[in-house]
Amino acid sequence: MRLHVLLLVVLVGACRTPAPETVAPEAAAREAPRGAELTALFAGQLERDADAWNRGDLDGFMASYARDTSTSFIDAGHARYGFEFIRSRYAPRFAPGAERDSLRFEEIAARSLGRRHALVTARFVLFRNGRTTASGPFTLVLERRPEGWKIIHDHSSSDPH
């Protein structure tokens, strides 16, 4: 009988839904920005990236990407991996004498995926002489690291011509 009671207690405990994790409001604010605060944070980061692009500073532009071999980049229907691959994809646009249109980001929205991850959606716009030369939506997954928020996944698409 004791074995049955013990087994019943274990089964009931295993089926119970765990209580949600509680975090003090001030700690939650430090750990996982939400809503408008998160969007403003990443809008600022993207603005710094666009400024670096427009100055011709490849290293500054790449500063938001995680320097990992697992950092993923998807465009033109293919998944590619690694910080160095992503850097090599952009490098020709920063070569001396290369033509590089100006960059801005629009329609930035962000949401938390937990304490250490966030999802950002936005549009890139490349332009020259007041005319859009390329644009499209993109999605980023960022991870909070000791050195700040870093892109671990970038999925970019181009608008149809």
Side-chain angles (χ1 to χ4, degrees):
M1 182 69 173
R2 284 186 196 170
L3 181 58
H4 287 79
V5 171
L6 179 60
L7 188 55
L8 181 61
V9 169
V10 169
L11 286 173
V12 168
C15 294
R16 200 178 107 234
T17 303
E21 187 177 328
T22 57
V23 178
E26 63 279 355
R30 280 192 315 271
E31 293 179 10
R34 305 251 186 248
E37 178 186 352
L38 195 60
T39 295
L41 174 75
F42 292 120
Q45 185 169 341
L46 289 172
E47 184 176 329
R48 287 187 298 278
D49 294 344
D51 288 345
W53 173 283
N54 295 333
R55 283 191 318 273
D57 178 1
L58 176 59
D59 292 330
F61 176 72
M62 293 297 301
S64 286
Y65 285 89
R67 291 181 163 266
D68 295 338
T69 57
S70 61
T71 300
S72 54
F73 184 85
I74 300 175
D75 80 335
H78 298 281
R80 312 294 179 150
Y81 297 91
F83 176 87
E84 290 305 323
F85 168 80
I86 299 166
R87 191 178 194 290
S88 72
R89 182 190 178 282
Y90 286 117
R93 296 180 183 196
F94 291 83
E99 197 168 276
R100 185 184 58 261
D101 296 340
S102 295
L103 173 65
R104 73 175 178 265
F105 296 111
E106 301 175 341
E107 301 175 23
I108 301 165
R111 71 176 189 183
S112 174
L113 298 177
R115 291 184 185 154
R116 294 186 52 230
H117 295 90
L119 175 71
V120 175
T121 57
R123 294 183 57 73
F124 72 90
V125 178
L126 292 171
F127 59 98
R128 183 181 328 142
N129 300 324
R131 193 178 120 264
T132 298
T133 57
S135 61
F138 64 91
T139 302
L140 304 173
V141 176
L142 292 98
E143 180 177 62
R144 185 188 299 207
R145 295 179 169 201
E147 66 274 18
W149 287 95
K150 297 296 177 181
I151 299 166
I152 61 172
H153 177 77
D154 177 343
H155 184 167
S156 297
S157 300
S158 293
D159 288 334
H161 292 45

